[in-house]
Amino acid sequence: MATTQEKATPRDAASAESSALLRKAGKPVRDWTGSATDLDSDPIRTRPSVPTLIRPMESLPAPSTNTAATKGIPVMLRAQSSHPLEPLSAAEISVAVATVRAAGATPEVRDSMRFVEVALVEPDKRVVALADAYFFPPFQPSLLPRTKGGPMIPSKLPPRQARLVVYNKKSNETSIWIVELSEVHAATRGGHHRGKVISSEVVPDVQPPMDAVEYAECEAVVKDFPPFREAMKKRGIEDMDLVMVDPWCTGYHSGADAPSRRLAKPLIFCRTESDCPLENGYARPVEGIHVLVDMQNMVVLEFEDRKLVPLPPADPLRNYTPGETRGGVDRSDVKPLQIIQPEGPSFRVNGHFVEWQKWNFRVGFTSKEGLVIYSVAYIDGSRGRRPVAHRLSFVEMVVPYGDPNDPHYRKNAFDAGEDGLGKNAHSLKKGCDCLGYIKYFDANFTNFTGGVETIENCVCLHEEDHGILWKHQDWRTGLAEVRRSRRLTVSFICTVANYEYGFYWHFYQDGHIEAEVKLTGILSLGALQPGETRKYGTTIAPGLYAPVHQHFFVARMDMAVDSKPGETFNQVVEVNVKVEEPGKNNVHNNAFYAEEKLLKSELQAMRDCNPLSARHWIVRNTRNVNRTGQLTGYKLVPGSNCLPLAGSEAKFLRRAAFLKHNLWVTSYARDEMYPGGEFPNQNPRIGEGLATWVQKNRSLEEADIVLWYVFGVTHIPRLEDWPVMPVERIGFTLMPHGFFNCSPAVDVPPSTCELDLKDNGMPAKPIQNGLLAKL
């Protein structure tokens, strides 16, 4: 992931500055081989944790000022030229792919390699702390625990590593490779500079996510299949350019879906006009045709024209494009709305490090999760930098449909695990997806054949006005104080087939964080026989209906409330509001109170929302208190939510057991990243992922806490959701609870507003928010 509009601080300058700080502080500067470069004569006091954190490494060649070597092959810079959490650059991805490909035993093996994912291997949390403390601005030594004699500081960070998921198209095997991204000058095949393979293993009995290249090939194969063309001809369609084939993963319903074969069951649609690229093809679903495609060999395995369902007639309201292109007229009374910041934004960006209104964090990106937020902290006056979370992201989403008829019963998409949210992200455009002074970040990822693709302007960072932050007017004096709320928003948007999803993290001046998902796009429809209706959906046009369905999202929050990296001082309490029983303590029958319960273990921490008791959960630090003696914390406040409406034996719940509860809490484990396991595509194993991990029943009384919050919406389609669905918003809030000694919003300054009275014949007059304006 690369940045645009802003340039990162040159690494050499940062390195020199960090070394100067160390020497000024009298700290020993040590490389990973253990040789001290301390300028003073004080003895170096070793600390056993540092050498065990990062293994010794050989000295690297002198850093190159060039990022490209001969023959166009990228050359990696020295090990600490990139922050340990910096997203992989295009050069690093190229080196990783070239390294793995060169490791293939034969030309046949190399040619059959397909690259599903190349992701950064995120290092140990203490390595990240070391980098932030002494190697990268703004240099935060407080991140490391205090030790007698001071910490032993290495002169270099370890080389970065990439993790590759590789699918062998010939053998149908999936393998995972770890590649060290250091500069290599030894002669290799072709003389290219490559990294070093650290490990590789074949993962049995799995299928990796599908790729856009496979989808395109599948569509071409189906459209060229003679029985399919004959079936479409029966429905009055001979022009294959009108036909849309959307490959869907088969899921797992029986042994026939086992991962020994790479399978897809496409959904078929048909446009009305072949010469109109803006035609809404999803308005004419083709039903009654069963197709099963072998995605490994790109052949049709099964085909059956089971039922001749007429194509829905062309709906005159099917299109959503501007004005005359959809046969309508756009509104003419919408005046321009401009968001301007003449002095620039209040945020600062250095590479992927962001600072805004006492918040700071790092922006990351992966092909599976999309946007990742790292190292979230708040600068709290004399208390300094206070961590809140180590890592925030959306790790999975599931969309189950509620119609038992074919093909809708098998529409149970795992859009992160089967496709990849990041890979399907958009290039955002200023003035449309985001408004204001915008900082964009690009995203790099590998395509199926190993090339590097870049999504420009993939992540948007900008400020938004968010109404009133707080207000009070003294009725005696008439004086009022009011503050506008401003928030910093980091977001990306992706398209998975017919639906769009916008993922947002909002940071507020009062110290709270809001996670939000915006759902829009086009409904996945079904066709009806003349005169037919179905109770499992909504008829939205003649011969056309939208099945009921649900959308579930899983946010993984690796919390670190007031905790340095590696510390295990967090716990989770559940809070429920209780009504006091009538009696001597409640003689007026008006009493209620908040009751807390410590969630002591992982099995005890499988919890559901309960709005009737205002249920919420607080992550607390067991070693830190506020001025009233209470433990500091951040609470998870649910928004609107739901649970699966399918029966307990529904087939998709075999792979999505994590949907059975709204909250799961685990003790941090590095390899526990995805709630349904890393490979949910055609997964035959029941309850893989969260439901299995919590069976360890690890203690949570004082731990490195990870929250898994499952939230969703039940969608009963409306006519107003056609032809395009207006945005629907769902999410949750992380809110300080005893974290601060008072409201951090009290020091937000007044802003100058405009009161426009032109309609009353008076000119606009500026008003200072801090005083009551009397006109």
Side-chain angles (χ1 to χ4, degrees), residues 19-35:
S19 298
L21 284 174
L22 294 176
R23 288 171 169 81
K24 184 177 179 181
K27 304 295 185 184
V29 181
R30 178 177 290 270
D31 63 22
W32 295 113
T33 62
S35 59

Side-chain angles (χ1 to χ4, degrees), residues 455-651:
I455 304 176
E456 295 182 349
N457 298 354
C458 182
V459 172
C460 174
L461 172 75
H462 71 293
E463 294 175 287
E464 296 178 342
D465 179 89
H466 195 62
I468 293 176
L469 176 62
W470 60 264
K471 180 176 183 176
H472 178 68
Q473 179 168 318
D474 189 322
W475 64 270
R476 291 179 175 84
T477 65
L479 295 178
E481 291 287 343
V482 60
R483 300 293 186 270
R484 299 293 299 178
S485 175
R486 189 178 299 189
R487 68 183 185 184
L488 183 70
T489 295
V490 197
S491 64
F492 83 104
I493 301 173
C494 68
T495 297
V496 186
N498 54 295
Y499 257 105
E500 269 73 24
Y501 302 96
F503 296 90
Y504 299 78
W505 292 97
H506 304 292
F507 295 84
Y508 290 82
Q509 293 164 304
D510 65 351
H512 86 267
I513 304 169
E514 180 186 9
E516 182 181 38
V517 179
K518 297 180 181 179
L519 299 81
T520 181
I522 301 175
L523 297 167
S524 181
L525 306 177
L528 298 173
Q529 296 275 15
E532 180 187 6
T533 60
R534 286 190 189 171
K535 66 179 180 180
Y536 307 108
T538 302
T539 301
I540 61 172
L544 201 59
Y545 89 111
V548 294
H549 57 281
Q550 295 181 289
H551 298 261
F552 290 100
F553 304 88
V554 184
R556 180 183 180 274
M557 294 167 281
D558 184 353
M559 302 300 291
V561 177
D562 270 334
S563 294
K564 292 181 172 66
E567 291 183 343
T568 57
F569 300 150
N570 281 182
Q571 63 179 203
V572 181
V573 295
E574 179 176 285
V575 180
N576 289 280
V577 173
K578 298 286 186 178
V579 175
E580 185 70 83
E581 294 292 333
K584 64 178 182 179
N585 293 327
N586 188 20
V587 294
H588 304 291
N589 287 324
N590 69 314
F592 60 92
Y593 60 97
E595 182 180 79
E596 296 183 357
K597 178 182 179 181
L598 175 65
L599 302 180
K600 296 182 178 181
S601 67
E602 291 177 328
L603 288 177
Q604 191 181 18
M606 298 184 296
R607 309 299 296 163
D608 296 325
C609 296
N610 184 0
L612 297 180
S613 67
R615 180 173 294 169
H616 58 275
W617 300 274
I618 306 174
V619 180
R620 284 183 170 151
N621 186 290
T622 59
R623 308 292 180 90
N624 213 28
V625 297
N626 54 35
R627 65 173 179 169
T628 64
Q630 299 171 331
L631 298 177
T632 60
Y634 255 78
K635 68 179 179 180
L636 169 59
V637 181
S640 61
N641 209 335
C642 61
L643 288 169
L645 296 173
S648 59
E649 300 302 315
K651 298 294 185 182

Side-chain angles (χ1 to χ4, degrees), residues 2-18 77-78 80-83 86 135-139 348-355 362 439 441:
T3 60
T4 58
Q5 297 183 9
E6 300 271 346
K7 297 266 187 175
T9 301
R11 184 60 205 103
D12 291 341
S15 180
E17 186 177 350
S18 64
L77 299 180
R78 64 184 179 182
Q80 69 266 38
S81 60
S82 296
H83 188 276
E86 193 89 356
F135 286 85
F136 292 88
F139 304 111
R348 294 184 296 174
V349 179
N350 183 354
H352 289 78
F353 183 73
V354 178
E355 296 175 284
R362 288 190 176 275
K439 162 65 181 168
F441 298 88

Side-chain angles (χ1 to χ4, degrees), residues 277-294:
L278 302 178
E279 172 78 14
N280 181 6
Y282 290 111
R284 300 182 80 198
V286 179
E287 292 208 5
I289 295 178
H290 165 78
V291 187
L292 180 67
V293 178
D294 178 346

